[in-house]
Amino acid sequence: MVPKSGSRVPKRLPYSDAEIAAIISRALVAELGGSRRATKTVMKWAHVSDRSARAWINGESCPSSCHLVLLASRSRAVMTALLGMAGHDHLAVALDLSEIEQELERLVERVRELRNASKIV
């Protein structure tokens, strides 16, 4: 009798490639729409061909891991989808807070510029 070794294979992965493709597709369409411009934007973001970009937007295929990282770095919707799939929905709020904080800093700087400009007059 041969002893058992190794680890057990999980019965089902959390998401299939088709499910991931559909989730990424919905995220891209929500952010960019389904137009030719959306395809060109995805091509630029992920450095891929027209055919790959269209397949991702249409949910026909799933981006590879490196392309998924590139998409997530440029697309808030894709990043939020990834966080949701990973079970970290609460971290999406941190992304929003960071963006709000940056915008507030820009606005404060603009107010200071306007205040300084009015003193000159």
Side-chain angles (χ1 to χ4, degrees):
M1 179 180 240
V2 177
K4 292 183 181 181
S5 63
S7 60
R8 294 181 184 222
V9 177
K11 292 183 180 179
R12 185 183 185 294
L13 296 172
Y15 295 96
S16 69
D17 284 346
E19 290 169 327
I20 293 171
I23 291 167
I24 298 303
S25 170
R26 283 192 299 271
L28 289 170
V29 169
E31 186 164 341
L32 303 171
S35 68
R36 176 76 180 143
R37 178 172 290 226
T39 303
K40 290 204 173 273
T41 300
V42 171
M43 289 171 59
K44 180 180 169 187
W45 285 352
H47 311 287
V48 295
S49 68
D50 175 74
R51 186 174 182 167
S52 293
R54 280 186 286 126
W56 298 343
I57 291 170
N58 295 329
E60 297 165 1
S61 67
C62 181
S64 67
S65 57
C66 63
H67 290 118
L68 199 51
V69 170
L70 287 171
L71 289 175
S73 72
R74 295 295 197 96
S75 167
R76 170 65 56 88
V78 171
M79 178 60 85
T80 302
L82 284 176
L83 289 170
M85 286 188 285
H88 294 292
D89 296 351
H90 61 282
L91 295 177
V93 173
L95 294 173
D96 292 335
L97 290 176
S98 175
E99 186 175 306
I100 290 168
E101 184 179 26
Q102 290 172 0
E103 184 62 27
L104 285 172
E105 288 172 0
R106 283 192 290 268
L107 290 171
V108 167
E109 184 60 33
R110 181 68 177 132
V111 167
R112 288 181 182 141
E113 289 171 2
L114 290 171
R115 186 182 310 147
N116 291 336
S118 67
K119 290 179 182 176
I120 296 173
V121 176

